[in-house]
Amino acid sequence: MNANMRRCVDGVCSGGLPLRRDEPRGEAVAGGSHEADDEEIVRLRERLRRSRIDLGPHEADARWVAGPFREWMRLLSEEEGGCRVALTRGHALALAAGMMQSLTIRDALVISLVARPGRCGREEMIALVRDPFCDDSRHLVCGLLSDAFDDATLHPDVRRCRAGLSMLVDMAGMVPVCYRAQPLSIIAYLLWWLGCREALAVALECLTIDEDCTLAEIIVSALAHGVAPAWMEDVAVDLDDESCVCEVEY
């Protein structure tokens, strides 16, 4: 991951709220000697693959994400004062590997960030991964993502989004290039959700890694057609205002 991508957490805003580059909470940050090599993450994927054979794919996936989702939700709720937070290395790599096996894991992370308070906690996320095709799961995902597009009263929780971006940027920097597409697609979605113009650049970078990434395609299409979250119409955000721009350079 290039160093410029990391900067999206420095200026992330809705109305110009900066993120300080303090030390993250967690065991390790991405970059340098902390980057995982291909062999390390392939071993993780193989462990998950064997577990899926033994337990069935959905049960194995649910057990795989139980610990990472717990830490994810804790860091989302504990982030205060703009401090940069990071998942522990093992949990970040587990999520990156898991998203290569199941896009439901990615979708659970997205809705944990855009849902109204109390609508999507850890238990709902795990239930979604365990049974992604049941009516409850379909209604949860469709309803929450539809709200993000259509409900003008649903505004971003900038603090939670900032924490999520921080964790995802570190995750993307920790893995080999071919594993970065799904973390980057969530980053692109969050930048679109926050009204940051860098969403397009991140989505396009994602598509250079995986041309079939549907979430990145959705963001590119939305921006090409001038589709913005409904909350932005409510507050008339000026996207040409530099204070509403995340600092990502390409």
Side-chain angles (χ1 to χ4, degrees):
M1 183 174 124
N2 63 50
N4 296 324
M5 177 62 66
R6 185 180 301 281
R7 297 191 63 209
C8 77
V9 297
D10 291 335
V12 102
C13 64
S14 176
L17 298 179
L19 175 64
R20 296 199 306 271
R21 293 304 299 266
D22 297 339
E23 286 299 314
R25 301 173 196 148
E27 292 177 358
V29 297
S33 62
H34 293 291
E35 287 187 13
D37 57 28
D38 289 343
E39 184 176 331
E40 181 179 7
I41 199 159
V42 166
R43 285 197 303 268
L44 272 176
R45 281 193 75 184
E46 179 59 22
R47 280 178 49 200
L48 178 55
R49 188 189 69 81
R50 290 197 303 268
S51 180
R52 291 175 119 231
I53 293 171
D54 293 340
L55 302 173
H58 301 320
E59 181 60 29
D61 292 345
R63 296 189 187 190
W64 184 263
V65 298
F69 279 0
R70 179 184 297 109
E71 186 180 37
W72 172 269
M73 294 303 293
R74 177 178 61 80
L75 291 173
L76 287 185
S77 63
E78 289 183 358
E79 193 272 350
E80 295 177 355
C83 295
R84 187 165 62 88
V85 297
L87 289 164
T88 54
R89 176 183 174 83
H91 285 163
L93 293 179
L95 287 177
M99 285 190 280
M100 290 289 284
Q101 295 291 149
S102 170
L103 292 182
T104 308
I105 295 173
R106 178 201 68 189
D107 294 343
L109 294 173
V110 171
I111 63 175
S112 73
L113 291 162
V114 304
R116 291 187 187 279
R119 289 292 307 280
C120 184
R122 175 177 174 267
E123 294 307 314
E124 287 81 9
M125 294 171 71
I126 292 175
L128 174 61
V129 172
R130 177 173 279 118
D131 197 353
F133 303 117
C134 73
D135 287 344
D136 287 346
S137 293
R138 289 201 302 268
H139 292 157
L140 178 68
V141 174
C142 291
L144 294 178
L145 293 182
S146 293
D147 286 349
F149 271 96
D150 301 327
D151 188 346
T153 69
L154 181 55
H155 289 216
D157 183 331
V158 176
R159 180 189 58 80
R160 286 174 71 84
C161 289
R162 186 166 49 195
L165 282 166
S166 177
M167 289 186 276
L168 289 161
V169 167
D170 276 343
M171 184 191 302
M174 197 180 291
V175 297
V177 171
C178 61
Y179 287 82
R180 294 174 189 165
Q182 298 310 324
L184 290 180
S185 71
I186 307 174
I187 291 170
Y189 186 95
L190 284 178
L191 293 177
W192 170 83
W193 171 236
L194 289 164
C196 296
R197 63 168 65 113
E198 283 79 4
L200 178 60
V202 179
L204 290 174
E205 178 165 333
C206 175
L207 290 171
T208 66
I209 300 169
D210 179 3
E211 63 182 10
D212 297 319
C213 181
T214 54
L215 185 57
E217 289 175 344
I218 288 170
I219 295 305
V220 171
S221 178
L223 292 168
H225 292 90
V227 177
W231 72 266
M232 292 177 62
E233 298 176 8
D234 188 44
V235 298
V237 170
D238 179 6
L239 289 180
D240 291 327
D241 182 351
E242 291 298 323
S243 70
C244 293
V245 176
C246 303
E247 296 178 9
V248 184
E249 295 179 359
Y250 286 85

